[in-house]
PDB file of all heavy atoms in Angstrom:
ATOM      1  N   SER A  11     -12.450 -19.364   9.509  1.00 98.00           N
ATOM      2  CA  SER A  11     -12.549 -19.313   8.052  1.00 98.00           C
ATOM      3  C   SER A  11     -13.652 -20.316   7.558  1.00 98.00           C
ATOM      4  O   SER A  11     -14.193 -20.012   6.560  1.00 98.00           O
ATOM      5  CB  SER A  11     -11.139 -19.719   7.513  1.00 98.00           C
ATOM      6  OG  SER A  11     -10.765 -21.013   7.978  1.00 98.00           O
ATOM      7  N   ILE A  14     -16.724 -18.333   7.627  1.00 98.00           N
ATOM      8  CA  ILE A  14     -16.677 -17.360   6.488  1.00 98.00           C
ATOM      9  C   ILE A  14     -17.023 -18.003   5.191  1.00 98.00           C
ATOM     10  O   ILE A  14     -17.782 -17.519   4.386  1.00 98.00           O
ATOM     11  CB  ILE A  14     -15.264 -16.608   6.376  1.00 98.00           C
ATOM     12  CG1 ILE A  14     -15.008 -15.882   7.774  1.00 98.00           C
ATOM     13  CG2 ILE A  14     -15.222 -15.750   5.141  1.00 98.00           C
ATOM     14  CD1 ILE A  14     -13.644 -15.309   7.773  1.00 98.00           C
ATOM     15  N   GLU A  15     -16.476 -19.225   5.018  1.00 98.00           N
ATOM     16  CA  GLU A  15     -16.713 -19.921   3.789  1.00 98.00           C
ATOM     17  C   GLU A  15     -18.245 -20.227   3.588  1.00 98.00           C
ATOM     18  O   GLU A  15     -18.822 -20.119   2.451  1.00 98.00           O
ATOM     19  CB  GLU A  15     -15.921 -21.264   3.750  1.00 98.00           C
ATOM     20  CG  GLU A  15     -16.053 -22.164   2.579  1.00 98.00           C
ATOM     21  CD  GLU A  15     -15.901 -21.475   1.195  1.00 98.00           C
ATOM     22  OE1 GLU A  15     -15.145 -20.527   1.029  1.00 98.00           O
ATOM     23  OE2 GLU A  15     -16.494 -22.067   0.232  1.00 98.00           O
ATOM     24  N   CYS A  18     -19.979 -17.126   2.539  1.00 98.00           N
ATOM     25  CA  CYS A  18     -19.712 -16.776   1.090  1.00 98.00           C
ATOM     26  C   CYS A  18     -20.583 -17.659   0.252  1.00 98.00           C
ATOM     27  O   CYS A  18     -21.133 -17.190  -0.756  1.00 98.00           O
ATOM     28  CB  CYS A  18     -18.208 -16.994   0.823  1.00 98.00           C
ATOM     29  SG  CYS A  18     -17.175 -15.767   1.563  1.00 98.00           S
ATOM     30  N   VAL A  43     -14.863  -4.366  -6.337  1.00 98.00           N
ATOM     31  CA  VAL A  43     -14.220  -4.800  -5.192  1.00 98.00           C
ATOM     32  C   VAL A  43     -13.585  -3.541  -4.585  1.00 98.00           C
ATOM     33  O   VAL A  43     -12.762  -2.922  -5.127  1.00 98.00           O
ATOM     34  CB  VAL A  43     -13.223  -5.851  -5.457  1.00 98.00           C
ATOM     35  CG1 VAL A  43     -12.592  -6.405  -4.056  1.00 98.00           C
ATOM     36  CG2 VAL A  43     -13.870  -7.047  -6.103  1.00 98.00           C
ATOM     37  N   THR A  44     -13.839  -3.363  -3.249  1.00 98.00           N
ATOM     38  CA  THR A  44     -13.214  -2.134  -2.578  1.00 98.00           C
ATOM     39  C   THR A  44     -12.023  -2.619  -1.953  1.00 98.00           C
ATOM     40  O   THR A  44     -11.941  -3.459  -0.954  1.00 98.00           O
ATOM     41  CB  THR A  44     -14.143  -1.451  -1.477  1.00 98.00           C
ATOM     42  OG1 THR A  44     -14.456  -2.614  -0.561  1.00 98.00           O
ATOM     43  CG2 THR A  44     -15.417  -0.994  -2.152  1.00 98.00           C
ATOM     44  N   LEU A  45     -10.816  -2.220  -2.463  1.00 97.00           N
ATOM     45  CA  LEU A  45      -9.511  -2.565  -1.966  1.00 97.00           C
ATOM     46  C   LEU A  45      -9.183  -1.780  -0.734  1.00 97.00           C
ATOM     47  O   LEU A  45      -9.751  -0.640  -0.604  1.00 97.00           O
ATOM     48  CB  LEU A  45      -8.424  -2.245  -3.024  1.00 97.00           C
ATOM     49  CG  LEU A  45      -8.572  -3.172  -4.243  1.00 97.00           C
ATOM     50  CD1 LEU A  45      -7.498  -2.690  -5.286  1.00 97.00           C
ATOM     51  CD2 LEU A  45      -8.281  -4.652  -3.987  1.00 97.00           C
ATOM     52  N   LYS A  46      -8.286  -2.250   0.190  1.00 96.00           N
ATOM     53  CA  LYS A  46      -7.696  -3.466   0.101  1.00 96.00           C
ATOM     54  C   LYS A  46      -8.478  -4.471   0.798  1.00 96.00           C
ATOM     55  O   LYS A  46      -8.350  -5.759   0.606  1.00 96.00           O
ATOM     56  CB  LYS A  46      -6.234  -3.453   0.614  1.00 96.00           C
ATOM     57  CG  LYS A  46      -5.265  -2.420   0.086  1.00 96.00           C
ATOM     58  CD  LYS A  46      -4.051  -2.428   0.882  1.00 96.00           C
ATOM     59  CE  LYS A  46      -3.169  -1.229   0.528  1.00 96.00           C
ATOM     60  NZ  LYS A  46      -1.960  -1.184   1.420  1.00 96.00           N
ATOM     61  N   GLY A  47      -9.288  -4.120   1.767  1.00 96.00           N
ATOM     62  CA  GLY A  47      -9.926  -5.000   2.672  1.00 96.00           C
ATOM     63  C   GLY A  47     -10.682  -6.191   2.096  1.00 96.00           C
ATOM     64  O   GLY A  47     -10.732  -7.195   2.704  1.00 96.00           O
ATOM     65  N   ALA A  48     -11.462  -5.805   1.011  1.00 98.00           N
ATOM     66  CA  ALA A  48     -12.404  -6.782   0.476  1.00 98.00           C
ATOM     67  C   ALA A  48     -11.735  -7.866  -0.417  1.00 98.00           C
ATOM     68  O   ALA A  48     -12.471  -8.689  -1.014  1.00 98.00           O
ATOM     69  CB  ALA A  48     -13.614  -6.138  -0.252  1.00 98.00           C
ATOM     70  N   MET A  49     -10.378  -7.854  -0.554  1.00 98.00           N
ATOM     71  CA  MET A  49      -9.805  -8.777  -1.519  1.00 98.00           C
ATOM     72  C   MET A  49      -9.975 -10.227  -1.187  1.00 98.00           C
ATOM     73  O   MET A  49     -10.280 -11.024  -2.128  1.00 98.00           O
ATOM     74  CB  MET A  49      -8.281  -8.435  -1.660  1.00 98.00           C
ATOM     75  CG  MET A  49      -7.505  -8.654  -0.400  1.00 98.00           C
ATOM     76  SD  MET A  49      -5.754  -8.233  -0.851  1.00 98.00           S
ATOM     77  CE  MET A  49      -5.029  -8.435   0.832  1.00 98.00           C
ATOM     78  N   PHE A  50      -9.909 -10.625   0.123  1.00 98.00           N
ATOM     79  CA  PHE A  50     -10.194 -12.065   0.483  1.00 98.00           C
ATOM     80  C   PHE A  50     -11.563 -12.456   0.264  1.00 98.00           C
ATOM     81  O   PHE A  50     -11.930 -13.464  -0.309  1.00 98.00           O
ATOM     82  CB  PHE A  50      -9.776 -12.316   1.922  1.00 98.00           C
ATOM     83  CG  PHE A  50      -8.309 -12.149   2.169  1.00 98.00           C
ATOM     84  CD1 PHE A  50      -7.587 -10.854   2.245  1.00 98.00           C
ATOM     85  CD2 PHE A  50      -7.541 -13.335   2.339  1.00 98.00           C
ATOM     86  CE1 PHE A  50      -6.323 -10.828   2.480  1.00 98.00           C
ATOM     87  CE2 PHE A  50      -6.149 -13.267   2.615  1.00 98.00           C
ATOM     88  CZ  PHE A  50      -5.508 -12.015   2.639  1.00 98.00           C
ATOM     89  N   PHE A  51     -12.430 -11.522   0.756  1.00 98.00           N
ATOM     90  CA  PHE A  51     -13.873 -11.771   0.662  1.00 98.00           C
ATOM     91  C   PHE A  51     -14.312 -11.980  -0.825  1.00 98.00           C
ATOM     92  O   PHE A  51     -14.992 -12.922  -1.221  1.00 98.00           O
ATOM     93  CB  PHE A  51     -14.660 -10.628   1.291  1.00 98.00           C
ATOM     94  CG  PHE A  51     -16.175 -10.710   1.182  1.00 98.00           C
ATOM     95  CD1 PHE A  51     -16.825 -11.967   1.492  1.00 98.00           C
ATOM     96  CD2 PHE A  51     -16.920  -9.639   0.820  1.00 98.00           C
ATOM     97  CE1 PHE A  51     -18.197 -11.978   1.463  1.00 98.00           C
ATOM     98  CE2 PHE A  51     -18.325  -9.651   0.785  1.00 98.00           C
ATOM     99  CZ  PHE A  51     -18.937 -10.909   1.089  1.00 98.00           C
ATOM    100  N   ALA A  52     -13.742 -11.062  -1.680  1.00 98.00           N
ATOM    101  CA  ALA A  52     -14.093 -11.107  -3.113  1.00 98.00           C
ATOM    102  C   ALA A  52     -13.646 -12.356  -3.759  1.00 98.00           C
ATOM    103  O   ALA A  52     -14.363 -13.085  -4.460  1.00 98.00           O
ATOM    104  CB  ALA A  52     -13.472  -9.910  -3.810  1.00 98.00           C
ATOM    105  N   ALA A  53     -12.413 -12.736  -3.387  1.00 98.00           N
ATOM    106  CA  ALA A  53     -11.923 -14.067  -3.991  1.00 98.00           C
ATOM    107  C   ALA A  53     -12.834 -15.258  -3.616  1.00 98.00           C
ATOM    108  O   ALA A  53     -13.059 -16.082  -4.434  1.00 98.00           O
ATOM    109  CB  ALA A  53     -10.496 -14.214  -3.562  1.00 98.00           C
ATOM    110  N   ASP A  54     -13.204 -15.292  -2.358  1.00 98.00           N
ATOM    111  CA  ASP A  54     -13.976 -16.419  -1.945  1.00 98.00           C
ATOM    112  C   ASP A  54     -15.443 -16.347  -2.377  1.00 98.00           C
ATOM    113  O   ASP A  54     -16.020 -17.345  -2.874  1.00 98.00           O
ATOM    114  CB  ASP A  54     -14.031 -16.505  -0.360  1.00 98.00           C
ATOM    115  CG  ASP A  54     -12.567 -16.981   0.158  1.00 98.00           C
ATOM    116  OD1 ASP A  54     -11.884 -17.615  -0.714  1.00 98.00           O
ATOM    117  OD2 ASP A  54     -12.256 -16.753   1.309  1.00 98.00           O
ATOM    118  N   LEU A  55     -15.993 -15.177  -2.343  1.00 98.00           N
ATOM    119  CA  LEU A  55     -17.482 -14.967  -2.689  1.00 98.00           C
ATOM    120  C   LEU A  55     -17.617 -15.173  -4.179  1.00 98.00           C
ATOM    121  O   LEU A  55     -18.552 -15.939  -4.686  1.00 98.00           O
ATOM    122  CB  LEU A  55     -17.920 -13.562  -2.281  1.00 98.00           C
ATOM    123  CG  LEU A  55     -19.343 -13.259  -2.810  1.00 98.00           C
ATOM    124  CD1 LEU A  55     -20.402 -14.046  -1.943  1.00 98.00           C
ATOM    125  CD2 LEU A  55     -19.684 -11.647  -2.568  1.00 98.00           C
ATOM    126  N   LEU A  56     -16.735 -14.530  -5.039  1.00 98.00           N
ATOM    127  CA  LEU A  56     -16.884 -14.723  -6.446  1.00 98.00           C
ATOM    128  C   LEU A  56     -16.977 -16.159  -6.987  1.00 98.00           C
ATOM    129  O   LEU A  56     -17.584 -16.425  -7.970  1.00 98.00           O
ATOM    130  CB  LEU A  56     -15.684 -13.938  -7.162  1.00 98.00           C
ATOM    131  CG  LEU A  56     -15.954 -12.404  -7.343  1.00 98.00           C
ATOM    132  CD1 LEU A  56     -14.649 -11.668  -7.562  1.00 98.00           C
ATOM    133  CD2 LEU A  56     -16.989 -12.063  -8.328  1.00 98.00           C
ATOM    134  N   ARG A  57     -16.264 -17.025  -6.275  1.00 98.00           N
ATOM    135  CA  ARG A  57     -16.159 -18.443  -6.740  1.00 98.00           C
ATOM    136  C   ARG A  57     -17.555 -19.076  -6.455  1.00 98.00           C
ATOM    137  O   ARG A  57     -17.804 -20.112  -6.915  1.00 98.00           O
ATOM    138  CB  ARG A  57     -15.060 -19.173  -5.990  1.00 98.00           C
ATOM    139  CG  ARG A  57     -13.753 -18.888  -6.665  1.00 98.00           C
ATOM    140  CD  ARG A  57     -12.635 -19.613  -6.038  1.00 98.00           C
ATOM    141  NE  ARG A  57     -12.138 -18.839  -4.899  1.00 98.00           N
ATOM    142  CZ  ARG A  57     -11.071 -19.073  -4.296  1.00 98.00           C
ATOM    143  NH1 ARG A  57     -10.291 -20.175  -4.601  1.00 98.00           N
ATOM    144  NH2 ARG A  57     -10.690 -18.331  -3.246  1.00 98.00           N
ATOM    145  N   HIS A  58     -18.493 -18.385  -5.733  1.00 98.00           N
ATOM    146  CA  HIS A  58     -19.846 -18.958  -5.525  1.00 98.00           C
ATOM    147  C   HIS A  58     -20.876 -18.178  -6.319  1.00 98.00           C
ATOM    148  O   HIS A  58     -22.024 -18.399  -6.115  1.00 98.00           O
ATOM    149  CB  HIS A  58     -20.184 -18.908  -4.007  1.00 98.00           C
ATOM    150  CG  HIS A  58     -19.350 -19.803  -3.238  1.00 98.00           C
ATOM    151  ND1 HIS A  58     -19.538 -21.211  -3.260  1.00 98.00           N
ATOM    152  CD2 HIS A  58     -18.391 -19.620  -2.365  1.00 98.00           C
ATOM    153  CE1 HIS A  58     -18.770 -21.846  -2.462  1.00 98.00           C
ATOM    154  NE2 HIS A  58     -17.970 -20.898  -1.822  1.00 98.00           N
ATOM    155  N   PHE A  67     -11.712  -3.051  -9.605  1.00 98.00           N
ATOM    156  CA  PHE A  67     -11.366  -2.719  -8.224  1.00 98.00           C
ATOM    157  C   PHE A  67     -11.324  -1.149  -7.995  1.00 98.00           C
ATOM    158  O   PHE A  67     -10.973  -0.422  -8.973  1.00 98.00           O
ATOM    159  CB  PHE A  67      -9.919  -3.150  -8.007  1.00 98.00           C
ATOM    160  CG  PHE A  67      -9.777  -4.640  -7.996  1.00 98.00           C
ATOM    161  CD1 PHE A  67      -9.481  -5.289  -9.295  1.00 98.00           C
ATOM    162  CD2 PHE A  67     -10.056  -5.480  -6.965  1.00 98.00           C
ATOM    163  CE1 PHE A  67      -9.389  -6.649  -9.367  1.00 98.00           C
ATOM    164  CE2 PHE A  67      -9.941  -6.913  -7.001  1.00 98.00           C
ATOM    165  CZ  PHE A  67      -9.630  -7.494  -8.302  1.00 98.00           C
ATOM    166  N   LEU A 101     -18.645  -4.829  -3.479  1.00 98.00           N
ATOM    167  CA  LEU A 101     -18.344  -5.727  -2.395  1.00 98.00           C
ATOM    168  C   LEU A 101     -17.400  -5.059  -1.430  1.00 98.00           C
ATOM    169  O   LEU A 101     -16.462  -4.428  -1.781  1.00 98.00           O
ATOM    170  CB  LEU A 101     -17.465  -6.936  -2.899  1.00 98.00           C
ATOM    171  CG  LEU A 101     -18.103  -7.862  -3.921  1.00 98.00           C
ATOM    172  CD1 LEU A 101     -17.154  -9.025  -4.133  1.00 98.00           C
ATOM    173  CD2 LEU A 101     -19.527  -8.321  -3.496  1.00 98.00           C
ATOM    174  N   ASP A 102     -17.873  -4.992  -0.125  1.00 98.00           N
ATOM    175  CA  ASP A 102     -17.057  -4.461   0.866  1.00 98.00           C
ATOM    176  C   ASP A 102     -16.911  -5.492   2.008  1.00 98.00           C
ATOM    177  O   ASP A 102     -17.743  -6.368   2.123  1.00 98.00           O
ATOM    178  CB  ASP A 102     -17.618  -3.205   1.497  1.00 98.00           C
ATOM    179  CG  ASP A 102     -16.586  -2.284   2.035  1.00 98.00           C
ATOM    180  OD1 ASP A 102     -15.495  -2.664   2.289  1.00 98.00           O
ATOM    181  OD2 ASP A 102     -16.922  -1.078   2.236  1.00 98.00           O
ATOM    182  N   GLU A 103     -15.888  -5.475   2.830  1.00 98.00           N
ATOM    183  CA  GLU A 103     -15.724  -6.511   3.867  1.00 98.00           C
ATOM    184  C   GLU A 103     -16.489  -6.098   5.124  1.00 98.00           C
ATOM    185  O   GLU A 103     -16.854  -6.903   5.903  1.00 98.00           O
ATOM    186  CB  GLU A 103     -14.222  -6.850   4.062  1.00 98.00           C
ATOM    187  CG  GLU A 103     -13.464  -5.763   4.828  1.00 98.00           C
ATOM    188  CD  GLU A 103     -13.190  -4.441   4.165  1.00 98.00           C
ATOM    189  OE1 GLU A 103     -13.691  -4.266   3.033  1.00 98.00           O
ATOM    190  OE2 GLU A 103     -12.533  -3.595   4.715  1.00 98.00           O
ATOM    191  N   LEU A 131     -19.528  -8.457   3.884  1.00 98.00           N
ATOM    192  CA  LEU A 131     -19.404  -9.672   4.720  1.00 98.00           C
ATOM    193  C   LEU A 131     -19.845  -9.348   6.177  1.00 98.00           C
ATOM    194  O   LEU A 131     -20.664 -10.080   6.771  1.00 98.00           O
ATOM    195  CB  LEU A 131     -17.920 -10.091   4.828  1.00 98.00           C
ATOM    196  CG  LEU A 131     -17.656 -11.256   5.759  1.00 98.00           C
ATOM    197  CD1 LEU A 131     -18.248 -12.504   5.325  1.00 98.00           C
ATOM    198  CD2 LEU A 131     -16.166 -11.465   5.919  1.00 98.00           C
ATOM    199  N   VAL A 157      -9.943  -7.424  12.871  1.00 98.00           N
ATOM    200  CA  VAL A 157      -8.748  -7.649  11.977  1.00 98.00           C
ATOM    201  C   VAL A 157      -8.799  -9.097  11.472  1.00 98.00           C
ATOM    202  O   VAL A 157      -9.429 -10.003  12.045  1.00 98.00           O
ATOM    203  CB  VAL A 157      -7.456  -7.341  12.700  1.00 98.00           C
ATOM    204  CG1 VAL A 157      -7.263  -5.868  13.090  1.00 98.00           C
ATOM    205  CG2 VAL A 157      -7.173  -8.320  13.938  1.00 98.00           C
ATOM    206  N   GLY A 158      -8.005  -9.229  10.381  1.00 98.00           N
ATOM    207  CA  GLY A 158      -7.885 -10.554   9.794  1.00 98.00           C
ATOM    208  C   GLY A 158      -8.820 -10.650   8.541  1.00 98.00           C
ATOM    209  O   GLY A 158      -9.727  -9.934   8.404  1.00 98.00           O
ATOM    210  N   TYR A 159      -8.504 -11.661   7.633  1.00 98.00           N
ATOM    211  CA  TYR A 159      -9.287 -12.007   6.454  1.00 98.00           C
ATOM    212  C   TYR A 159      -9.488 -10.621   5.697  1.00 98.00           C
ATOM    213  O   TYR A 159     -10.556 -10.216   5.324  1.00 98.00           O
ATOM    214  CB  TYR A 159     -10.583 -12.538   6.893  1.00 98.00           C
ATOM    215  CG  TYR A 159     -11.349 -13.154   5.696  1.00 98.00           C
ATOM    216  CD1 TYR A 159     -10.874 -14.296   5.020  1.00 98.00           C
ATOM    217  CD2 TYR A 159     -12.533 -12.560   5.184  1.00 98.00           C
ATOM    218  CE1 TYR A 159     -11.606 -14.811   3.977  1.00 98.00           C
ATOM    219  CE2 TYR A 159     -13.169 -13.035   4.086  1.00 98.00           C
ATOM    220  CZ  TYR A 159     -12.815 -14.232   3.472  1.00 98.00           C
ATOM    221  OH  TYR A 159     -13.432 -14.715   2.444  1.00 98.00           O
ATOM    222  N   GLY A 160      -8.423  -9.865   5.507  1.00 98.00           N
ATOM    223  CA  GLY A 160      -8.488  -8.674   4.747  1.00 98.00           C
ATOM    224  C   GLY A 160      -8.541  -7.312   5.592  1.00 98.00           C
ATOM    225  O   GLY A 160      -8.204  -6.264   5.164  1.00 98.00           O
ATOM    226  N   LEU A 161      -9.200  -7.546   6.802  1.00 98.00           N
ATOM    227  CA  LEU A 161      -9.275  -6.356   7.712  1.00 98.00           C
ATOM    228  C   LEU A 161      -7.960  -5.983   8.357  1.00 98.00           C
ATOM    229  O   LEU A 161      -7.344  -6.936   8.939  1.00 98.00           O
ATOM    230  CB  LEU A 161     -10.351  -6.688   8.764  1.00 98.00           C
ATOM    231  CG  LEU A 161     -11.745  -6.890   8.248  1.00 98.00           C
ATOM    232  CD1 LEU A 161     -12.553  -7.688   9.162  1.00 98.00           C
ATOM    233  CD2 LEU A 161     -12.467  -5.525   8.124  1.00 98.00           C
ATOM    234  N   ASP A 162      -7.678  -4.783   8.440  1.00 96.00           N
ATOM    235  CA  ASP A 162      -6.374  -4.383   8.949  1.00 96.00           C
ATOM    236  C   ASP A 162      -6.491  -3.464  10.153  1.00 96.00           C
ATOM    237  O   ASP A 162      -7.500  -2.854  10.393  1.00 96.00           O
ATOM    238  CB  ASP A 162      -5.484  -3.635   7.900  1.00 96.00           C
ATOM    239  CG  ASP A 162      -6.053  -2.201   7.645  1.00 96.00           C
ATOM    240  OD1 ASP A 162      -7.202  -2.133   7.323  1.00 96.00           O
ATOM    241  OD2 ASP A 162      -5.335  -1.270   7.892  1.00 96.00           O
ATOM    242  N   ARG A 166      -1.751  -3.861   9.303  1.00 96.00           N
ATOM    243  CA  ARG A 166      -1.335  -5.211   9.783  1.00 96.00           C
ATOM    244  C   ARG A 166      -2.481  -6.126   9.841  1.00 96.00           C
ATOM    245  O   ARG A 166      -3.658  -5.688   9.839  1.00 96.00           O
ATOM    246  CB  ARG A 166      -0.702  -5.091  11.165  1.00 96.00           C
ATOM    247  CG  ARG A 166       0.666  -4.344  11.229  1.00 96.00           C
ATOM    248  CD  ARG A 166       1.776  -5.225  10.689  1.00 96.00           C
ATOM    249  NE  ARG A 166       1.653  -6.622  11.049  1.00 96.00           N
ATOM    250  CZ  ARG A 166       1.990  -7.060  12.240  1.00 96.00           C
ATOM    251  NH1 ARG A 166       2.474  -6.304  13.193  1.00 96.00           N
ATOM    252  NH2 ARG A 166       1.847  -8.391  12.543  1.00 96.00           N
ATOM    253  N   TYR A 167      -2.229  -7.400   9.872  1.00 97.00           N
ATOM    254  CA  TYR A 167      -3.110  -8.528  10.152  1.00 97.00           C
ATOM    255  C   TYR A 167      -4.036  -8.919   9.008  1.00 97.00           C
ATOM    256  O   TYR A 167      -4.924  -9.759   9.159  1.00 97.00           O
ATOM    257  CB  TYR A 167      -4.067  -8.196  11.369  1.00 97.00           C
ATOM    258  CG  TYR A 167      -3.272  -7.873  12.599  1.00 97.00           C
ATOM    259  CD1 TYR A 167      -3.447  -6.629  13.161  1.00 97.00           C
ATOM    260  CD2 TYR A 167      -2.432  -8.740  13.188  1.00 97.00           C
ATOM    261  CE1 TYR A 167      -2.750  -6.158  14.297  1.00 97.00           C
ATOM    262  CE2 TYR A 167      -1.639  -8.351  14.296  1.00 97.00           C
ATOM    263  CZ  TYR A 167      -1.894  -7.139  14.875  1.00 97.00           C
ATOM    264  OH  TYR A 167      -1.157  -6.745  16.080  1.00 97.00           O
ATOM    265  N   ARG A 168      -3.936  -8.277   7.863  1.00 98.00           N
ATOM    266  CA  ARG A 168      -4.821  -8.618   6.713  1.00 98.00           C
ATOM    267  C   ARG A 168      -4.711 -10.077   6.359  1.00 98.00           C
ATOM    268  O   ARG A 168      -5.670 -10.669   5.844  1.00 98.00           O
ATOM    269  CB  ARG A 168      -4.518  -7.783   5.432  1.00 98.00           C
ATOM    270  CG  ARG A 168      -4.802  -6.292   5.565  1.00 98.00           C
ATOM    271  CD  ARG A 168      -4.816  -5.676   4.182  1.00 98.00           C
ATOM    272  NE  ARG A 168      -4.657  -4.322   4.166  1.00 98.00           N
ATOM    273  CZ  ARG A 168      -5.725  -3.371   4.300  1.00 98.00           C
ATOM    274  NH1 ARG A 168      -6.928  -3.881   4.445  1.00 98.00           N
ATOM    275  NH2 ARG A 168      -5.419  -2.102   4.352  1.00 98.00           N
ATOM    276  N   ASN A 169      -3.544 -10.675   6.538  1.00 98.00           N
ATOM    277  CA  ASN A 169      -3.242 -12.061   6.013  1.00 98.00           C
ATOM    278  C   ASN A 169      -3.762 -13.124   7.006  1.00 98.00           C
ATOM    279  O   ASN A 169      -3.647 -14.274   6.715  1.00 98.00           O
ATOM    280  CB  ASN A 169      -1.813 -12.222   5.881  1.00 98.00           C
ATOM    281  CG  ASN A 169      -0.930 -11.944   7.026  1.00 98.00           C
ATOM    282  OD1 ASN A 169      -1.284 -11.060   7.850  1.00 98.00           O
ATOM    283  ND2 ASN A 169       0.139 -12.638   7.334  1.00 98.00           N
ATOM    284  N   LEU A 170      -4.343 -12.796   8.117  1.00 98.00           N
ATOM    285  CA  LEU A 170      -4.805 -13.840   9.041  1.00 98.00           C
ATOM    286  C   LEU A 170      -6.067 -14.485   8.387  1.00 98.00           C
ATOM    287  O   LEU A 170      -6.947 -13.826   7.909  1.00 98.00           O
ATOM    288  CB  LEU A 170      -5.196 -13.218  10.416  1.00 98.00           C
ATOM    289  CG  LEU A 170      -4.076 -12.469  11.106  1.00 98.00           C
ATOM    290  CD1 LEU A 170      -4.619 -11.860  12.519  1.00 98.00           C
ATOM    291  CD2 LEU A 170      -2.901 -13.388  11.350  1.00 98.00           C
ATOM    292  N   PRO A 171      -6.103 -15.828   8.495  1.00 98.00           N
ATOM    293  CA  PRO A 171      -7.211 -16.536   7.811  1.00 98.00           C
ATOM    294  C   PRO A 171      -8.585 -16.322   8.520  1.00 98.00           C
ATOM    295  O   PRO A 171      -9.546 -16.502   7.856  1.00 98.00           O
ATOM    296  CB  PRO A 171      -6.812 -18.062   7.845  1.00 98.00           C
ATOM    297  CG  PRO A 171      -5.674 -18.063   8.841  1.00 98.00           C
ATOM    298  CD  PRO A 171      -5.023 -16.754   8.979  1.00 98.00           C
ATOM    299  N   HIS A 172      -8.590 -16.071   9.854  1.00 98.00           N
ATOM    300  CA  HIS A 172      -9.779 -15.900  10.602  1.00 98.00           C
ATOM    301  C   HIS A 172      -9.963 -14.387  10.893  1.00 98.00           C
ATOM    302  O   HIS A 172      -9.050 -13.587  10.732  1.00 98.00           O
ATOM    303  CB  HIS A 172      -9.782 -16.724  11.864  1.00 98.00           C
ATOM    304  CG  HIS A 172      -9.329 -18.079  11.746  1.00 98.00           C
ATOM    305  ND1 HIS A 172     -10.028 -19.046  11.075  1.00 98.00           N
ATOM    306  CD2 HIS A 172      -8.163 -18.668  12.063  1.00 98.00           C
ATOM    307  CE1 HIS A 172      -9.253 -20.179  11.021  1.00 98.00           C
ATOM    308  NE2 HIS A 172      -8.211 -19.945  11.627  1.00 98.00           N
ATOM    309  N   VAL A 173     -11.235 -14.042  11.367  1.00 98.00           N
ATOM    310  CA  VAL A 173     -11.413 -12.648  11.833  1.00 98.00           C
ATOM    311  C   VAL A 173     -11.396 -12.625  13.352  1.00 98.00           C
ATOM    312  O   VAL A 173     -11.972 -13.501  14.017  1.00 98.00           O
ATOM    313  CB  VAL A 173     -12.792 -12.115  11.296  1.00 98.00           C
ATOM    314  CG1 VAL A 173     -13.068 -10.778  11.840  1.00 98.00           C
ATOM    315  CG2 VAL A 173     -12.879 -12.157   9.856  1.00 98.00           C
TER     316      VAL A 173
END
Side-chain angles (χ1 to χ4, degrees):
S11 62
I14 298 172
E15 176 56 23
C18 287
V43 183
T44 58
L45 293 173
K46 303 173 192 173
M49 62 180 176
F50 291 77
F51 178 47
D54 288 339
L55 177 69
L56 277 163
R57 280 179 277 191
H58 291 289
F67 300 91
L101 300 189
D102 208 344
E103 76 289 4
L131 177 65
V157 294
Y159 193 71
L161 292 153
D162 74 303
R166 290 286 320 282
Y167 309 117
R168 289 196 200 273
N169 58 327
L170 302 178
H172 315 290
V173 177

